[in-house]
Coordinates of all heavy atoms in Angstrom, one line a residue:
M1 N -194.8 40.0 -31.7 CA -194.4 39.1 -32.9 C -193.2 39.8 -33.7 O -192.3 39.2 -34.2 CB -195.6 38.9 -33.8 CG -196.6 38.1 -33.1 SD -196.3 36.4 -33.2 CE -197.5 35.7 -34.3
R2 N -193.2 41.2 -33.7 CA -192.1 41.8 -34.6 C -190.7 41.6 -33.9 O -189.8 41.8 -34.5 CB -192.5 43.2 -34.9 CG -192.7 44.1 -33.8 CD -193.1 45.4 -34.2 NE -193.5 46.1 -32.9 CZ -193.6 47.3 -32.7 NH1 -193.5 48.1 -33.6 NH2 -194.0 47.8 -31.5
L3 N -190.8 41.4 -32.6 CA -189.5 41.2 -32.0 C -189.0 39.9 -31.9 O -187.9 39.4 -31.6 CB -189.6 41.7 -30.6 CG -190.0 43.2 -30.4 CD1 -190.1 43.5 -28.9 CD2 -188.8 44.0 -31.0
A4 N -189.8 38.9 -32.5 CA -189.5 37.4 -32.4 C -188.5 37.0 -33.5 O -188.6 37.7 -34.6 CB -190.8 36.6 -32.5
D5 N -187.7 36.2 -33.3 CA -186.7 35.6 -34.3 C -187.5 35.0 -35.4 O -188.5 34.2 -35.1 CB -185.7 34.7 -33.7 CG -184.9 34.0 -34.8 OD1 -184.1 34.8 -35.3 OD2 -185.0 32.8 -34.9
P6 N -187.4 35.4 -36.7 CA -188.2 34.8 -37.7 C -188.1 33.2 -37.9 O -189.2 32.6 -38.0 CB -187.7 35.4 -39.1 CG -187.1 36.7 -38.6 CD -186.5 36.4 -37.2
L7 N -187.0 32.7 -37.6 CA -186.8 31.2 -37.6 C -187.6 30.5 -36.5 O -188.2 29.7 -36.7 CB -185.4 30.8 -37.5 CG -185.1 29.3 -37.6 CD1 -185.6 28.6 -38.8 CD2 -183.6 29.1 -37.5
A8 N -187.5 31.3 -35.2 CA -188.3 30.6 -34.1 C -189.8 30.8 -34.3 O -190.5 29.9 -34.0 CB -187.9 31.4 -32.9
L9 N -190.2 31.8 -35.0 CA -191.6 32.0 -35.3 C -192.2 30.9 -36.2 O -193.1 30.4 -36.2 CB -191.8 33.5 -35.8 CG -193.2 33.9 -36.0 CD1 -194.2 33.7 -34.7 CD2 -193.3 35.3 -36.6
H10 N -191.3 30.7 -37.3 CA -191.6 29.8 -38.4 C -191.7 28.3 -37.8 O -192.7 27.5 -38.0 CB -190.5 29.7 -39.4 CG -190.6 28.6 -40.4 ND1 -191.7 28.5 -41.5 CD2 -190.0 27.5 -40.5 CE1 -191.6 27.6 -42.1 NE2 -190.5 26.7 -41.7
R11 N -190.7 28.0 -36.9 CA -190.8 26.6 -36.3 C -192.1 26.6 -35.3 O -192.7 25.5 -35.3 CB -189.5 26.6 -35.4 CG -188.2 26.2 -36.2 CD -187.1 26.0 -35.4 NE -185.9 25.8 -36.1 CZ -184.6 25.9 -35.8 NH1 -184.4 26.2 -34.4 NH2 -183.6 25.6 -36.5
S12 N -192.3 27.6 -34.7 CA -193.5 27.5 -33.7 C -194.8 27.3 -34.7 O -195.7 26.5 -34.2 CB -193.6 28.8 -33.0 OG -194.7 28.8 -32.2
A13 N -194.8 28.1 -35.7 CA -196.1 27.9 -36.5 C -196.1 26.6 -37.1 O -197.3 26.0 -37.3 CB -196.0 29.0 -37.7
C14 N -195.1 26.0 -37.5 CA -195.1 24.7 -38.2 C -195.5 23.7 -37.1 O -196.3 22.7 -37.5 CB -193.7 24.3 -38.7 SG -193.3 25.1 -40.2
A15 N -195.1 23.8 -36.0 CA -195.4 22.9 -34.9 C -196.9 23.0 -34.5 O -197.6 22.0 -34.2 CB -194.6 23.1 -33.5
L16 N -197.5 24.2 -34.7 CA -198.8 24.5 -34.2 C -199.8 23.7 -35.4 O -200.8 23.1 -35.1 CB -199.2 25.9 -34.2 CG -198.7 26.6 -32.9 CD1 -199.0 28.1 -33.1 CD2 -199.5 26.0 -31.8
V17 N -199.3 23.8 -36.6 CA -200.0 23.2 -37.6 C -200.0 21.6 -37.6 O -200.9 20.8 -37.8 CB -199.5 23.6 -39.1 CG1 -200.0 22.8 -40.2 CG2 -199.8 25.1 -39.2
R18 N -198.7 21.1 -37.2 CA -198.7 19.6 -37.1 C -199.4 19.1 -35.9 O -199.9 18.0 -35.9 CB -197.1 19.2 -36.8 CG -196.3 18.9 -38.1 CD -195.0 18.3 -37.7 NE -194.2 18.9 -36.5 CZ -193.4 20.0 -36.7 NH1 -193.2 20.6 -37.9 NH2 -192.9 20.5 -35.7
G19 N -199.4 19.8 -34.9 CA -200.1 19.3 -33.7 C -199.3 18.4 -32.8 O -198.1 18.2 -33.2
T20 N -199.6 17.8 -31.8 CA -199.1 16.8 -31.1 C -199.7 15.5 -30.9 O -201.0 15.5 -31.0 CB -198.9 17.5 -29.5 OG1 -200.2 17.7 -28.9 CG2 -198.0 18.6 -29.5
Q21 N -198.9 14.5 -30.9 CA -199.4 13.1 -30.7 C -198.7 12.4 -29.6 O -197.5 12.4 -29.6 CB -199.3 12.3 -32.1 CG -200.3 12.7 -33.2 CD -201.8 12.6 -32.7 OE1 -202.1 11.5 -32.1 NE2 -202.6 13.4 -33.1
P22 N -199.3 11.9 -28.6 CA -200.7 12.1 -28.4 C -201.1 13.6 -28.0 O -200.2 14.3 -27.8 CB -200.9 11.3 -27.1 CG -199.6 11.3 -26.3 CD -198.7 11.4 -27.4
T23 N -202.3 13.9 -28.1 CA -202.8 15.4 -28.0 C -202.5 15.7 -26.4 O -202.5 14.9 -25.6 CB -204.3 15.4 -28.2 OG1 -205.0 14.7 -27.3 CG2 -204.6 15.0 -29.6
M24 N -202.5 17.1 -26.3 CA -202.4 17.6 -24.9 C -203.5 17.1 -24.0 O -203.3 16.7 -22.9 CB -202.4 19.1 -25.0 CG -201.1 19.6 -25.6 SD -199.5 19.2 -24.9 CE -199.6 20.2 -23.5
R25 N -204.7 17.0 -24.7 CA -205.8 16.5 -23.8 C -205.6 15.0 -23.3 O -205.8 14.6 -22.2 CB -207.1 16.7 -24.6 CG -208.3 16.2 -23.8 CD -209.6 16.4 -24.4 NE -210.7 15.9 -23.6 CZ -211.8 16.6 -23.3 NH1 -211.9 17.8 -23.8 NH2 -212.6 16.1 -22.6
A26 N -205.2 14.3 -24.3 CA -205.0 12.8 -23.9 C -203.9 12.7 -22.8 O -204.0 11.8 -21.9 CB -204.6 12.1 -25.3
M27 N -202.8 13.5 -23.0 CA -201.8 13.5 -22.0 C -202.3 13.9 -20.5 O -202.1 13.3 -19.7 CB -200.7 14.3 -22.3 CG -199.7 13.7 -23.6 SD -198.3 14.6 -23.9 CE -198.9 16.0 -24.9
L28 N -203.2 14.9 -20.6 CA -203.7 15.4 -19.3 C -204.6 14.3 -18.6 O -204.6 14.1 -17.5 CB -204.6 16.7 -19.6 CG -205.5 17.2 -18.3 CD1 -204.5 17.7 -17.3 CD2 -206.3 18.4 -18.8
E29 N -205.5 13.7 -19.5 CA -206.4 12.6 -19.0 C -205.6 11.5 -18.5 O -206.1 10.8 -17.5 CB -207.3 12.2 -20.0 CG -208.4 13.3 -20.5 CD -209.2 12.9 -21.6 OE1 -208.9 12.0 -22.4 OE2 -210.3 13.5 -21.8
A30 N -204.3 11.2 -19.0 CA -203.6 10.0 -18.6 C -202.7 10.2 -17.4 O -202.4 9.3 -16.8 CB -202.8 9.5 -19.8
L31 N -202.5 11.5 -17.0 CA -201.7 11.8 -15.9 C -202.1 11.0 -14.6 O -203.3 11.1 -14.3 CB -201.5 13.2 -15.6 CG -200.6 13.9 -16.7 CD1 -200.8 15.5 -16.5 CD2 -199.2 13.5 -16.6
P32 N -201.2 10.4 -13.9 CA -201.6 9.6 -12.6 C -201.7 10.6 -11.4 O -201.3 10.1 -10.3 CB -200.6 8.5 -12.5 CG -199.4 9.2 -13.1 CD -199.9 10.1 -14.2
I33 N -201.9 11.9 -11.5 CA -201.8 12.8 -10.4 C -203.1 13.6 -10.4 O -203.8 13.5 -11.4 CB -200.6 13.7 -10.6 CG1 -200.7 14.4 -11.8 CG2 -199.3 12.9 -10.4 CD1 -199.7 15.5 -12.0
P34 N -203.3 14.2 -9.3 CA -204.6 15.1 -9.2 C -204.4 16.3 -10.4 O -203.3 16.7 -10.5 CB -204.7 15.7 -8.0 CG -203.9 14.8 -7.1 CD -202.8 14.2 -8.0
R35 N -205.5 16.4 -11.2 CA -205.4 17.4 -12.2 C -206.6 18.4 -12.2 O -207.8 17.9 -11.8 CB -205.5 16.7 -13.6 CG -204.2 16.0 -13.9 CD -204.4 14.5 -14.5 NE -205.5 13.8 -13.6 CZ -206.3 12.9 -14.2 NH1 -206.3 12.7 -15.5 NH2 -207.1 12.3 -13.4
T36 N -206.3 19.7 -12.5 CA -207.4 20.8 -12.5 C -207.3 21.4 -13.9 O -206.1 21.9 -14.2 CB -207.4 21.7 -11.3 OG1 -207.5 20.8 -10.2 CG2 -208.4 22.7 -11.4
F37 N -208.3 21.6 -14.6 CA -208.4 22.3 -15.8 C -209.1 23.6 -15.5 O -210.3 23.6 -15.2 CB -209.1 21.5 -16.9 CG -208.9 22.1 -18.3 CD1 -207.9 22.0 -19.1 CD2 -210.0 23.1 -18.7 CE1 -207.8 22.5 -20.4 CE2 -210.1 23.5 -19.9 CZ -208.9 23.3 -20.9
L38 N -208.5 24.7 -15.7 CA -209.2 26.1 -15.6 C -209.7 26.6 -16.9 O -209.0 26.5 -17.9 CB -208.2 27.1 -15.0 CG -207.4 26.7 -13.7 CD1 -206.5 27.8 -13.2 CD2 -208.5 26.4 -12.5
V39 N -210.9 27.1 -16.7 CA -211.5 27.7 -18.0 C -212.2 29.1 -17.6 O -212.7 29.1 -16.4 CB -212.6 26.8 -18.7 CG1 -213.7 26.5 -17.8 CG2 -213.1 27.4 -20.0
G40 N -212.0 30.0 -18.4 CA -212.7 31.5 -18.2 C -214.1 31.3 -18.2 O -214.5 30.8 -19.3
G41 N -214.9 32.0 -17.4 CA -216.2 32.1 -17.6 C -216.6 32.8 -18.7 O -217.9 32.6 -19.1
L42 N -215.9 33.7 -19.3 CA -216.3 34.3 -20.6 C -215.8 33.6 -21.8 O -216.1 34.1 -22.9 CB -215.7 35.8 -20.5 CG -215.9 36.6 -19.3 CD1 -215.3 37.9 -19.3 CD2 -217.5 36.9 -19.3
S43 N -215.2 32.5 -21.7 CA -214.8 31.7 -22.9 C -215.9 30.7 -23.2 O -216.7 30.3 -22.3 CB -213.5 31.0 -22.4 OG -212.4 31.9 -22.2
P44 N -215.7 30.2 -24.3 CA -216.6 29.1 -24.8 C -216.4 27.9 -23.7 O -215.2 27.7 -23.2 CB -216.3 28.6 -26.2 CG -215.5 29.9 -26.6 CD -214.8 30.5 -25.4
D45 N -217.4 27.1 -23.5 CA -217.3 25.9 -22.5 C -216.3 24.9 -23.2 O -216.0 24.9 -24.3 CB -218.6 25.2 -22.2 CG -218.6 24.3 -21.0 OD1 -217.6 24.6 -20.2 OD2 -219.5 23.6 -20.9
V46 N -215.7 24.2 -22.2 CA -214.7 23.2 -22.6 C -215.4 22.1 -23.5 O -216.6 21.6 -23.2 CB -214.1 22.5 -21.3 CG1 -213.1 21.4 -21.7 CG2 -213.5 23.5 -20.5
V47 N -214.8 21.7 -24.5 CA -215.4 20.7 -25.4 C -215.3 19.3 -24.5 O -214.3 18.8 -24.1 CB -214.6 20.5 -26.7 CG1 -215.0 19.3 -27.5 CG2 -214.6 21.7 -27.5
D48 N -216.4 18.7 -24.5 CA -216.6 17.3 -23.8 C -216.1 17.5 -22.3 O -215.2 16.8 -21.8 CB -215.8 16.3 -24.4 CG -216.3 14.9 -23.9 OD1 -217.2 14.7 -23.3 OD2 -215.3 14.0 -24.0
R49 N -216.7 18.5 -21.6 CA -216.4 18.7 -20.3 C -216.6 17.4 -19.5 O -215.8 17.0 -18.6 CB -217.1 19.9 -19.6 CG -216.9 20.1 -18.1 CD -218.0 21.2 -17.6 NE -217.6 22.4 -18.0 CZ -217.2 23.3 -17.2 NH1 -217.0 23.1 -15.8 NH2 -216.9 24.6 -17.5
A50 N -217.7 16.8 -19.8 CA -218.0 15.5 -18.9 C -217.0 14.4 -19.2 O -216.7 13.7 -18.3 CB -219.4 15.0 -19.5
G51 N -216.3 14.4 -20.4 CA -215.2 13.4 -20.6 C -214.0 13.8 -19.7 O -213.4 12.8 -19.2
L52 N -213.7 15.0 -19.6 CA -212.6 15.4 -18.7 C -212.9 15.0 -17.2 O -212.1 14.4 -16.6 CB -212.3 16.8 -18.8 CG -211.5 17.4 -19.8 CD1 -211.4 18.9 -19.8 CD2 -210.1 16.7 -19.8
V53 N -214.1 15.2 -16.8 CA -214.5 15.0 -15.4 C -214.6 13.4 -15.2 O -214.0 12.9 -14.3 CB -215.9 15.5 -15.1 CG1 -216.3 15.1 -13.8 CG2 -215.8 17.1 -15.2
A54 N -215.0 12.7 -16.2 CA -215.0 11.3 -16.3 C -213.6 10.7 -16.1 O -213.4 9.6 -15.5 CB -215.7 10.7 -17.3
A55 N -212.6 11.4 -16.7 CA -211.2 11.0 -16.5 C -210.5 11.4 -15.2 O -209.4 11.1 -15.1 CB -210.6 11.5 -17.7
G56 N -211.3 12.0 -14.4 CA -210.7 12.4 -13.0 C -210.2 13.9 -13.0 O -209.5 14.2 -12.2
V57 N -210.5 14.6 -14.2 CA -209.9 16.0 -14.2 C -211.0 17.0 -13.5 O -212.1 16.9 -14.0 CB -209.6 16.4 -15.6 CG1 -209.0 17.9 -15.6 CG2 -208.6 15.4 -16.2
E58 N -210.6 17.7 -12.6 CA -211.5 18.8 -12.1 C -211.6 19.8 -13.0 O -210.4 20.4 -13.4 CB -211.1 19.2 -10.7 CG -212.1 20.2 -10.1 CD -211.6 20.6 -8.7 OE1 -210.5 20.5 -8.3 OE2 -212.4 21.4 -8.1
V59 N -212.6 20.3 -13.5 CA -212.8 21.4 -14.4 C -213.4 22.6 -13.6 O -214.5 22.5 -12.9 CB -213.8 21.2 -15.6 CG1 -213.8 22.4 -16.4 CG2 -213.3 20.0 -16.4
V60 N -212.7 23.6 -13.4 CA -213.0 24.8 -12.6 C -213.2 26.1 -13.5 O -212.3 26.4 -14.4 CB -212.0 25.1 -11.6 CG1 -212.3 26.4 -10.8 CG2 -211.7 24.0 -10.6
T61 N -214.3 26.7 -13.5 CA -214.6 27.9 -14.3 C -214.2 29.2 -13.4 O -214.7 29.3 -12.2 CB -216.1 27.9 -14.6 OG1 -216.4 26.7 -15.3 CG2 -216.4 29.2 -15.3
V62 N -213.4 30.0 -13.8 CA -212.9 31.2 -13.3 C -213.9 32.4 -13.8 O -213.9 32.6 -14.9 CB -211.5 31.5 -13.5 CG1 -211.1 32.9 -12.9 CG2 -210.5 30.5 -13.0
P63 N -214.7 32.8 -12.9 CA -215.8 33.8 -13.4 C -215.0 35.1 -13.9 O -213.9 35.5 -13.5 CB -216.6 34.1 -12.1 CG -215.6 33.7 -11.1 CD -214.8 32.6 -11.4
H64 N -215.7 35.9 -14.6 CA -215.3 37.2 -15.2 C -214.0 37.1 -15.8 O -213.1 38.1 -15.8 CB -215.4 38.3 -14.1 CG -216.7 38.2 -13.3 ND1 -217.8 38.7 -14.0 CD2 -217.0 38.0 -12.0 CE1 -218.8 38.6 -13.1 NE2 -218.3 38.2 -12.0
A65 N -213.5 36.1 -16.4 CA -212.3 35.8 -17.1 C -212.5 35.2 -18.6 O -213.3 34.4 -18.6 CB -211.3 34.9 -16.1
G66 N -211.7 35.6 -19.3 CA -211.7 35.0 -20.7 C -210.4 34.1 -20.9 O -210.2 33.3 -20.0
H67 N -209.7 34.1 -21.9 CA -208.6 33.4 -22.2 C -207.4 33.6 -21.3 O -206.7 32.8 -20.8 CB -208.1 33.6 -23.7 CG -206.9 32.7 -24.0 ND1 -207.1 31.3 -24.1 CD2 -205.7 33.0 -24.2 CE1 -205.8 30.8 -24.5 NE2 -205.0 31.9 -24.5
C68 N -207.3 34.9 -20.9 CA -206.1 35.2 -20.0 C -206.6 35.3 -18.6 O -206.7 36.5 -18.0 CB -205.4 36.6 -20.4 SG -204.7 36.5 -22.1
L69 N -206.8 34.1 -18.0 CA -207.4 34.1 -16.6 C -206.7 34.9 -15.6 O -207.3 35.6 -14.7 CB -207.4 32.6 -16.2 CG -207.9 31.6 -17.1 CD1 -207.7 30.2 -16.6 CD2 -209.6 31.8 -17.3
M70 N -205.4 34.9 -15.7 CA -204.6 35.5 -14.6 C -204.6 37.0 -14.6 O -204.4 37.7 -13.6 CB -203.1 35.0 -14.5 CG -202.3 35.3 -15.7 SD -202.8 34.5 -17.3 CE -202.4 32.8 -17.1
F71 N -205.0 37.5 -15.7 CA -205.0 39.0 -15.8 C -206.4 39.5 -15.7 O -206.7 40.5 -15.2 CB -204.5 39.4 -17.3 CG -203.2 39.2 -17.5 CD1 -202.6 38.4 -18.5 CD2 -202.1 39.7 -16.5 CE1 -201.3 38.1 -18.6 CE2 -200.8 39.4 -16.8 CZ -200.3 38.7 -17.9
D72 N -207.4 38.7 -16.2 CA -208.8 39.0 -16.2 C -209.4 39.0 -14.7 O -210.2 39.8 -14.4 CB -209.6 38.2 -17.1 CG -209.3 38.3 -18.5 OD1 -208.7 39.3 -18.9 OD2 -209.6 37.5 -19.4
N73 N -209.0 38.0 -13.9 CA -209.5 38.0 -12.6 C -208.4 37.3 -11.6 O -208.4 36.1 -11.4 CB -210.8 37.0 -12.6 CG -211.5 37.1 -11.3 OD1 -211.0 37.6 -10.2 ND2 -212.8 36.7 -11.3
P74 N -207.4 38.1 -11.3 CA -206.2 37.4 -10.7 C -206.6 36.8 -9.4 O -206.1 35.7 -8.9 CB -205.3 38.6 -10.5 CG -206.1 39.9 -10.8 CD -207.3 39.4 -11.6
R75 N -207.6 37.3 -8.6 CA -207.8 36.7 -7.3 C -208.6 35.4 -7.4 O -208.1 34.4 -6.8 CB -208.7 37.7 -6.5 CG -207.9 38.9 -5.9 CD -208.8 39.8 -5.2 NE -208.3 41.1 -5.0 CZ -207.6 41.5 -3.9 NH1 -207.5 40.6 -2.9 NH2 -207.1 42.6 -3.7
A76 N -209.5 35.3 -8.3 CA -210.1 34.0 -8.5 C -209.2 33.0 -9.1 O -209.3 31.8 -8.8 CB -211.4 34.2 -9.3
Y77 N -208.2 33.3 -10.0 CA -207.2 32.6 -10.6 C -206.4 32.1 -9.6 O -206.1 30.8 -9.4 CB -206.5 33.3 -11.7 CG -205.3 32.5 -12.2 CD1 -205.4 31.5 -13.2 CD2 -204.0 32.9 -11.8 CE1 -204.4 30.9 -13.5 CE2 -202.9 32.2 -12.2 CZ -203.1 31.2 -13.1 OH -202.0 30.6 -13.6
A78 N -205.9 32.9 -8.7 CA -205.0 32.5 -7.5 C -205.8 31.4 -6.7 O -205.1 30.4 -6.3 CB -204.6 33.6 -6.8
A79 N -207.0 31.6 -6.3 CA -207.8 30.8 -5.5 C -207.9 29.4 -6.2 O -207.9 28.3 -5.6 CB -209.2 31.4 -5.2
A80 N -208.2 29.5 -7.5 CA -208.3 28.3 -8.3 C -207.0 27.4 -8.3 O -207.1 26.1 -8.2 CB -208.7 28.4 -9.7
I81 N -205.9 28.1 -8.5 CA -204.7 27.3 -8.6 C -204.2 26.8 -7.3 O -203.4 25.9 -7.1 CB -203.6 28.0 -9.2 CG1 -203.2 29.2 -8.7 CG2 -203.9 28.2 -10.7 CD1 -201.8 29.9 -9.3
A82 N -204.7 27.6 -6.2 CA -204.3 27.1 -4.9 C -205.1 25.9 -4.3 O -204.6 25.2 -3.5 CB -204.6 28.3 -3.9
G83 N -206.3 25.7 -5.0 CA -206.9 24.5 -4.5 C -208.1 24.2 -5.4 O -209.2 23.8 -5.0
G84 N -207.9 24.0 -6.7 CA -209.0 23.6 -7.7 C -210.1 24.5 -7.5 O -210.0 25.8 -7.8
S85 N -211.3 24.1 -7.1 CA -212.5 24.9 -6.9 C -212.5 25.8 -5.6 O -213.3 26.3 -5.2 CB -213.6 24.1 -6.9 OG -213.7 23.3 -5.9
G86 N -211.3 25.9 -5.1 CA -211.0 26.6 -3.9 C -211.3 25.8 -2.7 O -211.3 26.3 -1.5
G87 N -211.4 24.4 -2.9 CA -211.9 23.7 -1.7 C -213.2 24.0 -0.9 O -213.4 23.6 0.1
F88 N -214.1 24.7 -1.8 CA -215.2 25.1 -1.2 C -216.3 24.0 -1.4 O -216.7 23.8 -2.6 CB -215.7 26.4 -1.8 CG -214.7 27.4 -1.7 CD1 -214.4 28.2 -2.8 CD2 -213.9 27.7 -0.6 CE1 -213.4 29.1 -2.7 CE2 -213.0 28.6 -0.4 CZ -212.6 29.4 -1.6
P89 N -216.8 23.3 -0.4 CA -217.9 22.4 -0.6 C -219.0 23.0 -1.4 O -219.5 23.9 -1.1 CB -218.3 21.9 0.8 CG -217.1 22.3 1.7 CD -216.5 23.5 1.0
G90 N -219.6 22.2 -2.3 CA -220.8 22.5 -3.0 C -220.6 23.6 -4.0 O -221.4 24.2 -4.5
S91 N -219.2 23.9 -4.2 CA -219.0 25.1 -5.3 C -219.3 24.5 -6.7 O -219.5 25.4 -7.6 CB -217.5 25.4 -5.3 OG -216.6 24.4 -5.7
G92 N -219.5 23.2 -6.9 CA -219.7 22.7 -8.2 C -218.6 23.1 -9.3 O -219.0 23.1 -10.5
G93 N -217.4 23.5 -9.0 CA -216.4 23.7 -9.9 C -216.6 25.1 -10.4 O -215.9 25.5 -11.4
V94 N -217.3 26.0 -9.8 CA -217.5 27.3 -10.2 C -217.0 28.2 -9.0 O -217.7 28.1 -7.9 CB -218.9 27.8 -10.6 CG1 -219.0 29.3 -11.0 CG2 -219.2 26.9 -11.9
L95 N -216.0 29.1 -9.1 CA -215.7 30.0 -8.0 C -216.7 31.0 -7.8 O -217.4 31.2 -8.8 CB -214.3 30.6 -8.4 CG -213.1 29.5 -8.3 CD1 -211.8 30.2 -8.9 CD2 -212.8 29.0 -7.0
G96 N -216.5 31.8 -6.9 CA -217.4 32.9 -6.6 C -217.2 33.9 -7.7 O -216.5 33.7 -8.7
S97 N -218.0 35.2 -7.6 CA -218.1 36.1 -8.6 C -216.8 36.7 -9.0 O -216.7 37.2 -10.1 CB -219.2 37.2 -8.2 OG -218.7 37.9 -7.0
G98 N -215.8 36.6 -8.1 CA -214.5 37.1 -8.4 C -214.4 38.7 -8.4 O -215.2 39.3 -8.3
A99 N -213.1 39.1 -8.5 CA -212.8 40.5 -8.7 C -211.8 40.8 -9.6 O -210.8 40.0 -9.6 CB -212.4 41.0 -7.3
G100 N -211.8 41.8 -10.4 CA -210.8 42.1 -11.3 C -209.6 42.7 -10.5 O -209.5 42.9 -9.5
A101 N -208.6 43.0 -11.5 CA -207.3 43.5 -10.9 C -207.4 44.7 -10.1 O -206.7 44.8 -9.0 CB -206.4 43.8 -12.0
G102 N -208.3 45.5 -10.3 CA -208.4 46.8 -9.7 C -209.6 46.8 -8.6 O -209.8 47.8 -7.8
D103 N -210.2 45.7 -8.4 CA -211.5 45.6 -7.5 C -211.0 45.2 -6.2 O -210.1 44.3 -6.0 CB -212.5 44.7 -8.1 CG -212.9 45.2 -9.5 OD1 -212.9 46.2 -9.7 OD2 -213.5 44.2 -10.1
A104 N -211.8 45.5 -5.1 CA -211.6 44.9 -3.9 C -212.2 43.6 -3.9 O -213.2 43.5 -4.5 CB -212.2 45.9 -2.8
A105 N -211.6 42.7 -3.1 CA -212.4 41.3 -3.0 C -212.4 40.9 -1.6 O -211.5 41.4 -0.8 CB -211.5 40.5 -3.9
A106 N -213.3 40.2 -1.2 CA -213.4 39.6 0.0 C -214.1 38.2 -0.1 O -214.5 37.8 -1.0 CB -214.4 40.4 0.9
E107 N -213.8 37.5 1.2 CA -214.3 36.0 1.1 C -215.8 36.0 1.4 O -216.2 36.7 2.3 CB -213.5 35.2 2.0 CG -213.6 33.7 1.7 CD -212.5 33.0 2.6 OE1 -211.3 33.1 2.2 OE2 -212.9 32.3 3.5
T108 N -216.6 35.4 0.7 CA -218.0 35.3 1.0 C -218.3 34.3 2.1 O -217.4 33.6 2.4 CB -218.8 35.1 -0.3 OG1 -218.4 33.8 -0.7 CG2 -218.6 36.1 -1.5
P109 N -219.5 34.4 2.6 CA -219.7 33.4 3.6 C -219.5 31.9 3.2 O -219.3 31.1 4.0 CB -221.3 33.6 4.0 CG -221.5 35.2 3.7 CD -220.5 35.3 2.5
S110 N -219.7 31.7 1.9 CA -219.6 30.4 1.3 C -218.3 30.1 1.1 O -217.7 28.9 0.8 CB -220.3 30.3 0.0 OG -219.7 30.9 -0.9
G111 N -217.3 31.0 1.3 CA -215.8 30.8 1.3 C -215.3 31.1 -0.2 O -214.1 31.2 -0.4
A112 N -216.3 31.5 -1.2 CA -215.8 31.8 -2.5 C -215.2 33.2 -2.6 O -215.7 34.0 -1.8 CB -217.0 31.7 -3.4
V113 N -214.3 33.4 -3.4 CA -213.9 34.9 -3.7 C -214.8 35.6 -4.5 O -215.3 35.3 -5.5 CB -212.5 34.8 -4.4 CG1 -211.9 36.2 -4.6 CG2 -211.4 33.9 -3.6
G114 N -215.3 36.7 -3.9 CA -216.2 37.5 -4.6 C -216.0 39.0 -4.4 O -215.1 39.4 -3.6
A115 N -216.7 39.9 -5.1 CA -216.5 41.3 -4.9 C -217.0 41.7 -3.4 O -218.0 41.2 -2.9 CB -217.4 42.0 -6.0
A116 N -216.1 42.6 -2.9 CA -216.4 43.0 -1.6 C -217.7 44.0 -1.6 O -217.9 44.7 -2.5 CB -215.3 43.8 -1.1
A117 N -218.5 44.0 -0.6 CA -219.7 44.8 -0.5 C -219.4 46.3 0.0 O -218.3 46.5 0.6 CB -220.7 44.3 0.4

């Protein structure tokens, strides 16, 4: 923040307070293409997850990840963006146990990305 231009920071803060119309969620729900919403397993659950699913949005939980999915569990994040729930039948929108940046990972028999044994 201390390296940010003060005017740009002010504009960004004002835009955050104003919000967007329509909301980002409404725009996501209305898109006529396949959509996947990623949420970290360590984050609070998505507000009205059932509503997103009803709108045709696949909601995928990335395990062992908080707000910064790509840093907290890069392998599971990569699997999620490569194919939603990883294309694993019966995954129920939850990827395998995942592995952190320094952990070894392997594909489990179910196909989910999990910690190597």
Side-chain angles (χ1 to χ4, degrees):
M1 294 282 243
R2 62 187 165 155
L3 299 178
D5 175 63
L7 180 59
L9 187 58
H10 173 74
R11 287 180 178 162
S12 179
C14 289
L16 287 171
V17 170
R18 265 193 320 272
T20 57
Q21 287 298 323
T23 64
M24 295 297 288
R25 182 181 178 122
M27 288 188 277
L28 175 65
E29 290 176 345
L31 286 172
I33 59 173
R35 293 134 309 148
T36 301
F37 185 89
L38 303 179
V39 61
L42 302 176
S43 295
D45 198 17
V46 178
V47 174
D48 190 24
R49 178 187 285 251
L52 276 177
V53 172
V57 178
E58 180 182 15
V59 180
V60 176
T61 300
V62 177
H64 308 293
H67 181 74
C68 296
L69 309 169
M70 67 291 290
F71 296 118
D72 295 341
N73 192 344
R75 291 179 190 264
Y77 172 77
I81 62 172
S85 63
F88 310 132
S91 66
V94 178
L95 293 170
S97 63
D103 300 335
E107 204 167 282
T108 64
S110 68
V113 176

